[in-house]
Amino acid sequence: MLTKALPHSFRGRLVVAAAALLLTLPVAPSAALADGTLTIGRPADVSAMSVFSHSTIEDEIVHPMLFDTLVYGSKDDPGYVPGLAESWDFDSASNSYVFKLRANAAFSDGSPVTAADVVYSLSAAKEKSQNYKGMLAGMTAAEAVDDHTVKVTLAGPDNIFMSGLIWVYVLPENMNGKDADAFFAEPLASGPFALDAWTPGSSMSLVRNPHYWNAAETGLDRVDMKIIQGDNERLAAFQSGDIDIYENVRFDFIDQIPEAQRHIVSPTARTMFLFTNNYKPPFDSIEARKALSYAVDRDAIGEALWPGLSVPVQGMLMPGTTGAVPADAGSWDFDLETAEAALAASPTPKPEITLSAAYIRGVDEVLVQAVQAQLQDAGFQVTLNVSDFNTILGQVLNGEFDVWLLGNTTFGTTVAEMFAFYGGAFGPLGGWDLDALGGALEKYLVAPDAAGREAAVRDFENMMRETFTAVPIGHPDTVFAIADGVEGFETLPTTAYRLDRISVNR
Amino acid sequence: MTRSRYILKRLLQTIPLIAGIMVLVMLLLHVVPGDPARAIGGMAASDETVEQIREELGLNRSFVAQYIAYVGNALQGDLGISTRSRQPVTEIIGERLAPTLWLLTAGMILSIVLASAVSVLAARNKDRAADYALGGLTVIGLSMPAYWVGIMLLLLVALPTGAFPISGFGKGFWGHLNAIILPALTFAIAISPVMIRALRAKLVALYRNDFVMMSRAVGLSESTILARHLSRHAALVLITMVSVQVGPMIFVGVVIEKTFALPGLGQALVNAVAQRDFPVVQGITLTTALFVTFVHLGADIFTSFVNPRTVLE
Amino acid sequence: MMARIAQRARRGARPLPMKARIGLTILAAYILAGIFGPMLLPFDPDKTDILRRLKPPSNVHWLGTDQLGRDFLTRLVVAIRVDLPIAFAAAFFPMVIGTALGAIAGYYGKLADTVVSRAADLVQAFPVYVFLLVLVFALGAGATSFIVAATVIAWVGYARLARGEVMRLKSLEFVEAARVTGLPERVILTTHVLPNALPQTLIYYMSDVVLMVLVLSSLSFLGVGIQPPTAEWGRMIAEGQPFLRSHWWLAAAPGLMLMVFGTGLSLLADGLDDWLRS
């Protein structure tokens, strides 16, 4: 029997079907092409929309765009420039500031930003802000003088208050009668942008706020932020043109970014360190922490993993911030024998520990495994717990961690902010000596001059280093990749940048 | 049995199968050692968080109740909400579908082309050097991990020529097409060896057949014989192979998406796994299982048209 | 029955085909390298030295060092001790369970057959390796989870094979003969039927091991398999990929190790199959 050939009509139908299938495949919209739109690829989402919760660098890029502040951070001394407050006067006799607000400031619904809103925002921040309330501790009263004038009275001399204002976000008075959850679910913006869409952990879009007082100088119509966790995937997105700004370029990938597109923040006001849980074994023991510290070969890590891209370990307070001085007591040397001896002397000579890490802010696969190996060499049994940043942060906030390897970037331009932050956030979480820390902070706040502030900082650094309270490794730089045509991108050593200064010109 | 009865029977068989698939997808959550809610929240989650997760996933109800709820919701296109992004799972799947469909379609076409060409070449040269060489290559092809093939293509093709993106999905239709070439080739290299083995064997048997001998005797050219007589058999073998191989194909697709950083379903699955986002893992697993089931079904129905004998069996 | 034995004896006299001999040599080389290699190589596979990371091949480090400064050759060889035993085990348990279920289904038929066949259909309705991936994830990454998950999905192939073979064999003359002598069914199944189904099962097992080693390495590549710092080929490829431009061998070599092993075992399986059939 002869077999029939495939009927002709049948073959034809197959071709048509295949073509139809191909044509119906959705074609992804090309996001970054539209003019006035900037697309950012970043490793983590904001930790929360609420400006009162614990804060990360992502928050510090997004929040100031949505919520205006009295002053803006600046590279130049004293570290801040006029923002919503166009000017201010300080009266040293009464320790009070009088701020003059921009007359044309308005929320994204068009209603004016008034002195009452600012007074409310100041007191709300002092009361609720996890990160920044310490910086407002010296504020005793805030009152509206008239619609556009605010008077703030301080308890006494205060070296932290003004730079703290960089992080006092202006919300409508009483959040328009809503509770915080409801308000931040649909926030009313006072900054250069308003929230357009947000899928937590995935993407966020901002649109230009036409009512912002300086809207004429906002360079972008729209900002799309994509959360792309993987180092490889983020590089891919940049190389294929899906994103214009590629945050947190892995050090081993720098060669793959054309030199003209590299933006290296050097030094970055960042400390890479091992944050130990000093409440529970093994790191409740100073011997175990000493072993941890002596087990880390900081010079090797700096030389091999961050070649020419780091500042050698200086302290917990970062270089690149005004007032950072190194400790002059104790030691952060690497010495395996000392490490082994200290571990043998600790209550848990063969500790099994979990090393938590998220691949963000200078932490990558190679660094984590290098640290893991160095700790193993000293006798620690180390299991890795690698996840996304907000997961790890959640675990740490609940106290369920042994040691967290993280690159902590300051949010201010002087040591003051981080100083207060260690006291308010890391210290209580890690079980640090809060009395010693508070003493040093107090001394810093009231110091009459730079030398006095320096002494206070040194007290703190010495205390950290002598008791191995936390184990710094170094101060790696931050690398961004910026697509051609993106103009006005400028970072502080904190790595924060203002989106409203950026424009695209393709 | 008539063809329509056969098709009806196959359709009806699919229903208990899908019900079973959903049981297994639900069970995923329950094979987690210890408390699944605790596992999702992480060891560090507070008791309230864990309780909330348990509530959300319906873990405090009986398995049967959970199952009925899951099936009921799934029928209405609701596969739950990501524990991480709070985004509906169906929405995530919708967003991620395009690169995966591109990869599967292009990869499948390329696999079939490659498999047909190699099989014909091998079968025509049976027991000659070309056949042995191709046979050897097939065995090697079976032993190469797909992601590694992809990386080697990057090394040997993309980097020296600069003609293809190293990774990502490109932009616009032509960008996608260009970005999908190497992933699809990787796919074909991983998938075609199994097809080649089956197809070559079939062709060798057919070439021995009387009708081929006869056609040769009456002076028909080899390509005419191939087109007229063998294509139907070859198509049947290929359809069967696609049906049998669709499971491995999906896995290969996941791995290739990771290798080339294609933002498809596979990448979403791997990310969801890393974040212990169970509803997304379950949703994507269910989607792929349904896809497999329908490919099996489609292949059987297709075969019943091309080869009516299968209906009788 | 006599005829079959005679036939086997004749087969025994035939030399193994070239394919099988090449395959056997490769397999033996891997096993020997896995056993003795780590003893002969002077390096600790997990000992990092980041100051000497990413070094090219030299006469100290024959294949250079990896991204953490570990001796790359040592890790390639030590990984044999990880990938091979896990793959052999991950195919072994499904073989035992699948063959038993398939044999029962094929020999007793009826309800047993229905239950086993429907269960097999269900597993096969899944994209099996994706299912394996999510199962390993649910159970927690690691070798044990992999073996358990592999058993859950891979028994099906063995069951189908055994069922078919047993159905074919049980109607053969020598089985009927055994039945006439009054041997219990259970004994006939285990002593007369199963041993004859065994060669095909073993051949299938070998190709299954090839699949398992590929799947294991794929899972490790995706980050769900063997965890660092353990040397494993798939993980090594993933960690080598970022250095493709400058250190291509870091990603290439582990893949070659996988490919040659898989090719060797496939050739052995093919060769044995030819040998048994001829």
Side-chain angles (χ1 to χ4, degrees):
Chain A
M1 191 197 89
L2 288 176
T3 310
K4 275 188 295 175
L6 199 61
H8 195 73
S9 60
F10 177 74
R11 259 181 282 166
R13 251 182 279 161
L14 261 187
V15 173
V16 172
L21 185 59
L22 263 181
L23 288 178
T24 53
L25 294 178
V27 176
S30 41
L33 275 180
D35 244 330
T37 298
L38 181 81
T39 309
I40 300 170
R42 66 168 47 134
D45 200 358
V46 295
S47 69
M49 187 55 74
S50 165
V51 297
F52 299 129
S53 68
H54 278 278
S55 185
T56 64
I57 194 75
E58 287 74 27
D59 299 359
E60 286 144 16
I61 293 171
V62 171
H63 289 159
M65 292 301 102
L66 294 175
F67 309 107
D68 208 6
T69 53
L70 289 171
V71 294
Y72 298 162
S74 159
K75 271 188 175 160
D76 305 315
D77 222 36
Y80 46 84
V81 293
L84 175 62
E86 61 183 354
S87 64
W88 55 86
D89 292 307
F90 179 62
D91 174 33
S92 53
S94 61
N95 272 314
S96 64
Y97 284 91
V98 174
F99 296 94
K100 197 84 194 138
L101 307 183
R102 310 265 174 187
N104 61 337
F107 291 100
S108 52
D109 64 355
S111 57
V113 175
T114 65
D117 298 319
V118 173
V119 168
Y120 166 76
S121 302
L122 279 164
S123 47
K126 180 180 174 172
E127 192 187 324
K128 296 178 191 161
S129 172
Q130 298 273 2
N131 275 5
Y132 311 122
K133 62 180 166 195
M135 306 180 70
L136 298 178
M139 182 178 86
T140 51
E143 60 201 297
V145 177
D146 63 43
D147 262 8
H148 296 288
T149 313
V150 174
K151 183 179 177 197
V152 176
T153 311
L154 303 176
D158 194 325
N159 287 318
I160 245 175
F161 172 74
M162 276 306 290
S163 46
L165 291 184
I166 299 174
W167 310 106
V168 175
Y169 300 108
V170 174
L171 313 173
E173 190 179 8
N174 293 322
M175 292 191 264
N176 283 343
K178 296 178 180 171
D179 66 15
D181 284 347
F183 178 79
F184 289 109
E186 287 175 46
L188 181 63
S190 54
F193 292 93
L195 184 66
D196 183 48
W198 182 33
T199 307
S202 172
S203 64
M204 184 188 286
S205 297
L206 308 181
V207 289
R208 190 167 173 274
N209 172 11
H211 301 289
Y212 169 62
W213 62 266
N214 200 16
E217 288 189 29
T218 304
L220 296 166
D221 296 325
R222 184 182 178 83
V223 181
D224 291 323
M225 290 169 269
K226 296 183 181 176
I227 314 306
I228 310 172
Q229 277 174 33
D231 284 320
N232 292 325
E233 284 81 359
R234 219 157 50 251
L235 174 68
F238 182 73
Q239 288 179 332
S240 65
D242 285 348
I243 56 177
D244 302 309
I245 295 180
Y246 161 21
E247 294 184 352
N248 201 69
V249 178
R250 181 174 160 177
F251 294 108
D252 284 321
F253 289 169
I254 293 176
D255 292 344
Q256 301 189 40
I257 307 294
E259 224 161 307
Q261 295 181 339
R262 288 179 210 162
H263 183 103
I264 299 177
V265 185
S266 181
T268 295
R270 162 183 294 161
T271 301
M272 181 70 69
F273 72 112
L274 289 164
F275 179 57
T276 49
N277 186 344
N278 300 352
Y279 284 113
K280 63 172 200 176
F283 294 119
D284 57 348
S285 142
I286 188 170
E287 290 297 329
R289 298 200 300 267
K290 181 178 175 186
L292 191 74
S293 180
Y294 275 96
V296 178
D297 188 347
R298 297 168 178 82
D299 293 345
I301 289 175
E303 190 183 329
L305 306 187
W306 309 321
L309 293 165
S310 77
V311 175
V313 63
Q314 178 180 317
M316 292 300 292
L317 299 168
M318 306 74 179
T321 49
T322 310
V325 285
D328 56 10
S331 151
W332 281 320
D333 290 343
F334 162 66
D335 183 350
L336 212 49
E337 278 169 30
T338 309
E340 284 165 348
L343 201 56
S346 82
T348 46
K350 281 195 173 303
E352 288 179 18
I353 59 169
T354 301
L355 175 62
S356 300
Y359 295 154
I360 186 173
R361 293 189 249 297
V363 179
D364 61 34
E365 190 173 80
V366 171
L367 176 69
V368 171
Q369 290 190 28
V371 170
Q372 179 191 28
Q374 292 185 352
L375 300 186
Q376 303 250 44
D377 285 346
F380 290 94
Q381 299 294 311
V382 187
T383 311
L384 297 183
N385 169 34
V386 173
S387 191
D388 61 286
F389 181 80
N390 287 328
T391 301
I392 301 282
L393 180 66
Q395 293 171 353
V396 171
L397 290 176
N398 281 315
E400 287 292 335
F401 71 108
D402 292 326
V403 54
W404 180 19
L405 172 60
L406 78 156
N408 181 48
T409 314
T410 186
F411 45 85
T413 48
T414 71
V415 289
E417 294 83 357
M418 209 58 228
F419 212 155
F421 188 52
Y422 281 140
F426 280 100
L429 283 171
W432 296 1
D433 182 346
L434 294 179
D435 289 340
L437 203 159
L441 184 58
E442 188 60 39
K443 195 170 151 188
Y444 179 94
L445 286 177
V446 299
D449 56 17
R453 291 196 291 270
E454 210 167 88
V457 168
R458 188 159 276 129
D459 278 358
F460 166 74
E461 294 285 14
N462 285 349
M463 182 270 288
M464 295 298 287
R465 193 152 99 165
E466 281 172 324
T467 59
F468 306 101
T469 299
V471 177
I473 296 172
H475 309 284
D477 294 345
T478 303
V479 185
F480 291 85
I482 311 295
D484 297 337
V486 174
E487 286 162 12
F489 177 85
E490 193 184 284
T491 66
L492 298 175
T494 66
T495 75
Y497 55 96
R498 282 191 74 93
L499 293 167
D500 59 336
R501 300 289 111 219
I502 297 174
S503 58
V504 284
N505 185 11
R506 279 183 267 259
Chain B
M1 197 190 296
T2 64
R3 181 178 298 144
S4 49
R5 282 200 55 170
Y6 169 79
I7 292 174
L8 188 68
K9 189 178 143 222
R10 275 299 277 114
L11 279 172
L12 288 177
Q13 276 173 352
T14 306
I15 293 171
L17 202 56
I18 292 176
I21 287 170
M22 291 182 116
V23 171
L24 284 192
V25 167
M26 288 292 301
L27 273 177
L28 269 184
L29 202 55
H30 294 261
V31 299
V32 177
D35 179 355
R38 169 64 62 183
I40 292 165
M43 292 316 289
S46 66
D47 290 345
E48 297 92 80
T49 316
V50 171
E51 195 46 51
Q52 193 194 335
I53 293 171
R54 190 170 292 132
E55 186 88 16
E56 251 173 51
L57 296 174
L59 284 171
N60 42 12
R61 285 174 293 165
S62 75
F63 184 78
V64 176
Q66 289 173 46
Y67 180 73
I68 291 171
Y70 190 77
V71 174
N73 290 335
L75 285 176
Q76 296 163 34
D78 172 9
L79 294 175
I81 289 174
S82 155
T83 53
R84 189 50 55 101
S85 70
R86 322 299 307 164
Q87 202 182 0
V89 174
T90 39
E91 210 175 287
I92 295 176
I93 292 174
E95 284 171 7
R96 299 293 200 126
L97 204 56
T100 303
L101 285 181
W102 269 81
L103 175 62
L104 287 180
T105 313
M108 197 97 87
I109 293 171
L110 218 54
S111 302
I112 289 175
V113 170
L114 188 67
S116 310
V118 171
S119 309
V120 169
L121 203 62
R124 276 208 199 150
N125 296 294
K126 187 178 178 306
D127 292 334
R128 274 183 272 172
D131 185 25
Y132 287 128
L134 290 172
L137 284 179
T138 310
V139 171
I140 293 174
L142 279 173
S143 311
M144 293 191 293
Y147 56 91
W148 183 74
V149 173
I151 293 172
M152 290 303 104
L153 285 178
L154 288 176
L155 177 65
L156 301 173
V157 180
L159 288 182
T161 64
F164 304 98
I166 298 298
S167 48
F169 189 39
K171 280 206 282 208
F173 180 84
W174 298 110
H176 295 333
L177 196 65
N178 192 33
I180 216 74
I181 291 175
L182 289 184
L185 189 58
T186 309
F187 186 95
I189 292 173
I191 291 299
S192 60
V194 181
M195 292 184 170
I196 291 171
R197 291 198 140 193
L199 195 55
R200 178 194 164 276
K202 183 75 185 174
L203 288 175
V204 165
L206 287 173
Y207 274 127
R208 276 204 219 104
N209 262 356
D210 290 347
F211 71 86
V212 175
M213 301 285 184
M214 241 163 68
S215 312
R216 283 202 182 117
V218 301
L220 286 179
S221 75
E222 289 289 323
S223 48
T224 317
I225 297 174
L226 192 66
R228 281 221 195 131
H229 301 309
L230 305 184
S231 58
R232 202 180 76 133
H233 288 286
L236 269 180
V237 173
L238 284 172
I239 289 298
T240 311
M241 289 321 290
V242 167
S243 175
V244 171
Q245 285 286 93
V246 64
M249 278 180 198
I250 295 201
F251 182 70
V252 164
V254 170
V255 174
I256 290 177
E257 281 182 21
K258 175 75 183 168
T259 313
F260 288 92
L262 289 173
L265 273 186
Q267 202 188 74
L269 178 69
V270 174
N271 288 346
V273 161
Q275 301 179 349
R276 305 200 72 76
D277 194 340
F278 265 90
V280 176
V281 172
Q282 287 178 310
I284 296 178
T285 309
L286 179 65
T287 309
T288 56
L290 290 180
F291 180 74
V292 170
T293 307
F294 288 122
V295 168
H296 287 167
L297 182 69
D300 284 354
I301 293 175
F302 184 92
T303 308
S304 76
F305 279 94
V306 183
N307 185 1
R309 265 182 304 172
T310 53
V311 175
L312 299 171
E313 279 157 12
Chain C
M1 193 156 172
M2 290 310 291
R4 284 182 63 86
I5 291 167
Q7 194 189 339
R8 272 201 215 164
R10 252 183 284 127
R11 267 186 205 153
R14 282 190 68 235
L16 279 172
M18 182 58 94
K19 271 196 221 171
R21 275 185 284 166
I22 296 174
L24 210 54
T25 312
I26 292 176
L27 185 62
Y30 270 76
I31 291 173
L32 290 177
I35 295 173
F36 299 109
M39 298 178 196
L40 299 175
L41 291 160
F43 299 102
D44 174 347
D46 297 336
K47 175 69 194 164
T48 64
D49 182 357
I50 49 173
L51 288 173
R52 283 178 196 78
R53 71 192 291 248
L54 298 169
K55 290 286 177 227
S58 65
N59 41 16
V60 180
H61 298 286
W62 291 355
L63 289 181
T65 58
D66 72 359
Q67 70 282 357
L68 288 169
R70 298 171 292 202
D71 183 64
F72 189 52
L73 176 64
T74 305
R75 284 180 74 75
L76 274 183
V77 171
V78 166
I80 296 176
R81 293 183 170 194
V82 176
D83 282 271
L84 263 57
I86 298 176
F88 276 103
F92 179 77
F93 292 105
M95 174 173 72
V96 173
I97 293 170
T99 305
L101 288 175
I104 291 168
Y107 197 78
Y108 296 101
K110 299 197 202 80
L111 183 65
D113 192 18
T114 311
V115 171
V116 171
S117 297
R118 288 294 87 78
D121 285 346
L122 184 57
V123 172
Q124 284 193 325
F126 272 89
V128 279
Y129 302 113
V130 172
F131 192 52
L132 193 148
L133 162 75
V134 296
L135 210 53
V136 171
F137 144 67
L139 295 167
T144 318
S145 301
F146 179 74
I147 293 171
V148 170
T151 307
V152 172
I153 64 134
W155 65 272
V156 175
Y158 295 97
R160 291 209 189 280
L161 182 74
R163 178 176 171 273
E165 280 286 286
V166 166
M167 281 171 78
R168 184 177 67 81
L169 290 164
K170 78 172 176 186
S171 56
L172 290 184
E173 207 178 299
F174 74 106
V175 176
E176 292 295 336
R179 216 170 262 143
V180 172
T181 63
L183 279 174
E185 294 285 333
R186 190 167 41 80
V187 177
I188 297 174
L189 178 60
T190 48
T191 59
H192 287 69
V193 178
L194 268 183
N196 285 294
L198 214 56
Q200 279 309 313
T201 303
L202 280 177
I203 286 166
Y204 185 86
Y205 172 72
M206 287 183 214
S207 45
D208 204 28
V209 170
V210 177
L211 263 179
M212 283 302 166
V213 82
L214 292 182
V215 173
L216 171 68
S217 78
S218 300
L219 293 200
S220 304
F221 176 80
L222 297 175
V224 216
I226 306 302
Q227 298 298 304
T230 307
E232 192 282 332
W233 291 322
R235 190 79 218 133
M236 289 165 79
I237 295 173
E239 288 173 0
Q241 192 183 356
F243 308 100
L244 199 58
R245 282 164 200 269
S246 50
H247 300 72
W248 53 269
W249 57 91
L250 291 179
L256 278 177
M257 292 293 284
L258 278 164
M259 186 182 89
V260 173
F261 170 71
T263 306
L265 205 54
S266 302
L267 286 175
L268 180 60
D270 274 10
L272 284 179
D273 195 31
D274 292 351
W275 186 65
L276 283 169
R277 280 176 203 278
S278 63

